[in-house]
Amino acid sequence: MNICIKNGRLVDPKNGIDAQLDLFIADGRIAAVGQAPAGFTADKTIEADGAVVCPGLIDLSVRLPSLESELAAAIAGGVTTVVCPPDTKPVLDEPGLVERLIQRAEALGLARVLPLGALTRNLEGQSLASMAGLASAGCVAFSQADRPVTDLQSLYRAMQYAATYDFTVWLRPQDYQLARDGVAHDGEVAARLGLAGIPVAAETVAIATLVELAKATGVRLHLMRISSAAGVAMVRDAQAKGARVTCDVAVHHLHLSEEDIGYFNALARFDPPLRAVSDRAALRFGLAEGTVGAVCSDHTPTAEDGKLLPFGEADAGNPGLTLLLPLVLAWAEEAGLSLNTALARVTSNAAAIIGRDDLGHLAPGAVADVCVFDPAASWTITPEAFSSVGRNSPLAGRTMKGRVLAVVAGGRPL
Amino acid sequence: MAELSVNAHMNPQLGANGKLQHLLSTEGLPLEVITHILDTAQSFLEVSDRDVKKVPLLRGKSVFNLFFENSTRTRTTFEIAAKRLSADVINLDVSRSSTAKGETLLDTIDNLCAMHADMFVVRHATSGAPFLIAEHLQRIGRDDIRVVNAGDGRHAHPTQGLLDMYTIRHYKKDFSQLTVAIVGDILHSRVARSDLHALKTLGCGEIRAIAPKTLLPGYLENLGVKVFHDMNEGLKDCDVVIMLRLQNERMNGALLPSVGEYFKRYGLTPEKLALAKPDAIVMHPGPMNRGVEIDSSVADGPQAVILNQVTFGIAVRMAVMGILAGN
């Protein structure tokens, strides 16, 4: 199908474009920018007057309890690629399971699913999963999701094996022993409310360990959902010294802090926990300067019952796919960043972390994933209207700017 | 990002009219409310000395004691207080019945609402549980039911905090001139947190916390508390010493090496008490561990007001329930 997206403000961070240009799509790929290719006839024209036309968003952390609802939520949020951690049921440690997940997602024709394969079998942290086979099946990297590898020798071997094939390992920087029993940032709010704390040291100790193991094994390391100022500083330092390490942050950590727990608001329970206001400032700065390469939604739909419990017993996380774009735009506006800089964190930078140069940009030949949004349109967050099976958000009732008007995913208009 | 802040999640214990709707914590409790509770308790104190120890304030009302965590002592004091106000008291040992069968906390509450409860007295092992109940009652349109927090996790034990304030006021009058030391396992103590907030609101001159670092939450200084690790320094010139109970299970982990070492460093002995002002009072929320946090000669000595705390506690709980029922 030939599609023309007309009169929009084309923002393509990877290629440094921010200009009013038409976009031409043919056979699932970007065909041309600006001038129509010779003999191009559009089967469909999308009028993008006053709207921004950018690469479809890439979300690096999305849980998929139900494929159809969550991938619909992705499209509603302008997200065309979701990275799914391997702690699905069953765990993604068999190539057949990965192939089936990808096929089921493709059959829906919504957002693309790029699975992370299990680093160890059943995520138990003992024996290695069949990484090469999982990669052939479509896994873009290997991860333990939120499960620890308690035996560092096993982790060392797993990293060595991954490095053999130049696979990237994506790990949560959280020492499970220091975080044990904790439910909130070990700070002033936890002290006040009598909540068991997760100290910043749980993150920094883990980063130190993981970075050292990555250096020793030569593996590429991606740290998932960093949460503290000290953590950002350590990653900055490691990158400056040439370590092959990247990291991302969850978008709610750019906007919320421990203070938003108020009096035990279970909707403000996240993993990692919302930390101090100073941590939030460092995460925002780290994302702007590029130490933190990407921002994800950490989309975690929970059943409503999971939040109707005392704070310490409630499920962590909230659905976030629908809020990723407006929350990134809000951060960019407050930080005084260009659209190019801001959108790079959910497009080209994210594609680089995954290792896919055909995604996350709009040069001819790239996969035709496009998001068209009105940057000025404001709307009120109503979790009841989320396509996701998760219907809660600590930001319910807030007014956000940035409304998705149209999405093209793999050349299909949605 | 101020405009995105979620802080609308406020303490639900005060109604829109500023009146006390539930008693969930001493934090955020206005000075007038605390003073009103303490004054009311004073008037109830003499009820307990009468031959007929009853006033009809809660006649026809049903008070449900909901103890998700066992505590015979606290439950009994609430029961006595409610009965002296002529309420019908129903004791539910939920720690053994419904939750053991898998019922959720809020399902239990819905069931009890259907039994026409007027007040829930809630003890729960998880911090914040009574807040969840209060918010749920609001959500289901039962804001006629009152909730009294009888201790939630490490968070709060507001009636204990208030009876401690009553005790201090009884013996010491002017809070602004006082130095109050809280000694022991502050990290795990809901009593300590309730005392801290109430003392701050009452304008206490100096609040001290004395404990090893393993038993102190971080950021206590930010709550207006002076932290000491050496008891001899911390007790110096104190007017009030509040000793906390040290739970036996704290000895199993890596928090403390032994009872002996703890008692040596942080147990209240006559020698250490001598560093406080000569007229200092010694308080303890009970039950005491003699020889662990307090020496018997201090516990039974002339400066201890521990049993008076228990007596005042009934009056304070009567006051809280009476005021809640009237609002």
Side-chain angles (χ1 to χ4, degrees), chain A residues 236-284:
Chain A
R236 182 184 296 125
D237 193 42
Q239 287 172 343
K241 288 178 180 148
R244 300 170 84 196
V245 55
T246 53
C247 70
D248 65 51
V249 61
V251 75
H252 35 254
H253 279 71
L254 301 180
H255 294 290
L256 303 176
S257 73
E258 58 173 347
E259 290 177 3
D260 293 299
I261 293 171
Y263 283 90
F264 305 103
N265 183 0
L267 295 176
R269 181 157 183 208
F270 287 97
D271 178 22
L274 296 172
R275 294 202 182 272
V277 171
S278 54
D279 291 304
R280 178 177 63 184
L283 291 166
R284 293 172 76 111

Side-chain angles (χ1 to χ4, degrees), chain A residues 193 195 261-269 303-315 392, chain B residues 9-13 22-25 66 68 99 103-110 113 120 122-143 145-153 155-156:
Chain A
L193 296 179
L195 297 171
I261 293 171
Y263 283 90
F264 305 103
N265 183 0
L267 295 176
R269 181 157 183 208
E304 199 185 346
D305 289 350
K307 292 291 188 186
L308 292 176
L309 291 168
F311 186 89
E313 298 171 20
D315 290 337
N392 39 46
Chain B
H9 210 80
M10 297 309 286
N11 195 331
Q13 68 186 349
H22 309 288
L23 181 68
L24 304 178
S25 71
L66 275 175
F68 294 90
T99 43
E103 192 176 57
T104 69
L105 172 59
L106 295 184
D107 280 337
T108 305
I109 295 301
D110 285 343
C113 287
F120 292 133
V122 182
R123 160 70 61 97
H124 201 286
T126 307
S127 299
F131 285 77
L132 183 74
I133 295 171
E135 282 164 2
H136 180 68
L137 292 174
Q138 173 93 33
R139 221 170 10 238
I140 63 173
R142 290 305 305 269
D143 43 16
I145 302 179
R146 302 282 174 257
V147 179
V148 179
N149 182 358
D152 62 326
H155 170 241

Side-chain angles (χ1 to χ4, degrees), chain B residues 209-242:
Chain B
I210 309 174
K213 288 185 177 184
T214 46
L215 298 182
L216 286 167
Y219 303 89
L220 259 189
E221 292 89 347
N222 297 19
L223 301 178
V225 178
K226 237 174 137 171
V227 173
F228 293 83
H229 305 302
D230 181 340
M231 207 168 170
N232 294 329
E233 280 175 38
L235 287 182
K236 207 162 180 295
D237 300 325
C238 277
D239 299 281
V240 177
V241 183
I242 301 175

Side-chain angles (χ1 to χ4, degrees), chain A residues 209-255:
Chain A
T209 303
L210 295 176
V211 168
E212 285 308 312
L213 289 176
K215 284 199 297 203
T217 58
V219 80
R220 263 188 296 154
L221 171 67
H222 178 67
L223 299 169
M224 304 161 79
R225 305 193 326 261
I226 197 167
S227 71
S228 68
V232 174
M234 288 176 78
V235 173
R236 182 184 296 125
D237 193 42
Q239 287 172 343
K241 288 178 180 148
R244 300 170 84 196
V245 55
T246 53
C247 70
D248 65 51
V249 61
V251 75
H252 35 254
H253 279 71
L254 301 180
H255 294 290

Side-chain angles (χ1 to χ4, degrees), chain B residues 5-45:
Chain B
S5 175
V6 192
N7 256 338
H9 210 80
M10 297 309 286
N11 195 331
Q13 68 186 349
L14 296 177
N17 53 8
K19 283 192 171 175
L20 196 65
Q21 190 153 8
H22 309 288
L23 181 68
L24 304 178
S25 71
T26 53
E27 184 184 3
L29 215 50
L31 179 61
E32 313 83 71
V33 174
I34 295 183
T35 309
H36 180 45
I37 292 170
L38 301 188
D39 291 346
T40 309
Q42 203 162 355
S43 70
F44 279 138
L45 202 56

Side-chain angles (χ1 to χ4, degrees), chain A residues 154-365:
Chain A
S154 296
L155 183 57
Y156 183 75
R157 299 290 178 222
M159 284 183 168
Q160 274 186 322
Y161 190 77
T164 310
Y165 301 98
D166 203 22
F167 297 146
T168 309
V169 293
W170 292 31
L171 296 169
R172 273 291 308 286
Q174 180 162 290
D175 183 273
Y176 79 105
Q177 287 167 320
L178 285 171
R180 190 174 55 213
D181 304 328
V183 299
H185 169 58
D186 192 10
E188 197 175 323
V189 172
R192 213 188 84 224
L193 296 179
L195 297 171
I198 300 174
V200 166
E203 180 163 295
T204 52
V205 165
I207 291 175
T209 303
L210 295 176
V211 168
E212 285 308 312
L213 289 176
K215 284 199 297 203
T217 58
V219 80
R220 263 188 296 154
L221 171 67
H222 178 67
L223 299 169
M224 304 161 79
R225 305 193 326 261
I226 197 167
S227 71
S228 68
V232 174
M234 288 176 78
V235 173
R236 182 184 296 125
D237 193 42
Q239 287 172 343
K241 288 178 180 148
R244 300 170 84 196
V245 55
T246 53
C247 70
D248 65 51
V249 61
V251 75
H252 35 254
H253 279 71
L254 301 180
H255 294 290
L256 303 176
S257 73
E258 58 173 347
E259 290 177 3
D260 293 299
I261 293 171
Y263 283 90
F264 305 103
N265 183 0
L267 295 176
R269 181 157 183 208
F270 287 97
D271 178 22
L274 296 172
R275 294 202 182 272
V277 171
S278 54
D279 291 304
R280 178 177 63 184
L283 291 166
R284 293 172 76 111
F285 181 80
L287 185 64
E289 67 168 358
T291 301
V292 183
V295 52
C296 67
S297 75
D298 185 22
H299 182 74
T300 310
T302 60
E304 199 185 346
D305 289 350
K307 292 291 188 186
L308 292 176
L309 291 168
F311 186 89
E313 298 171 20
D315 290 337
N318 290 288
L321 273 167
T322 317
L323 305 178
L324 181 61
L325 177 64
L327 289 175
V328 167
L329 294 175
W331 159 72
E333 189 177 325
E334 289 154 10
L337 299 171
S338 70
L339 264 185
N340 249 320
T341 305
L343 292 174
R345 274 66 181 156
V346 281
T347 59
S348 51
N349 285 12
I353 289 166
I354 303 168
R356 286 282 297 262
D357 55 14
D358 59 337
L359 297 179
H361 67 102
L362 299 174

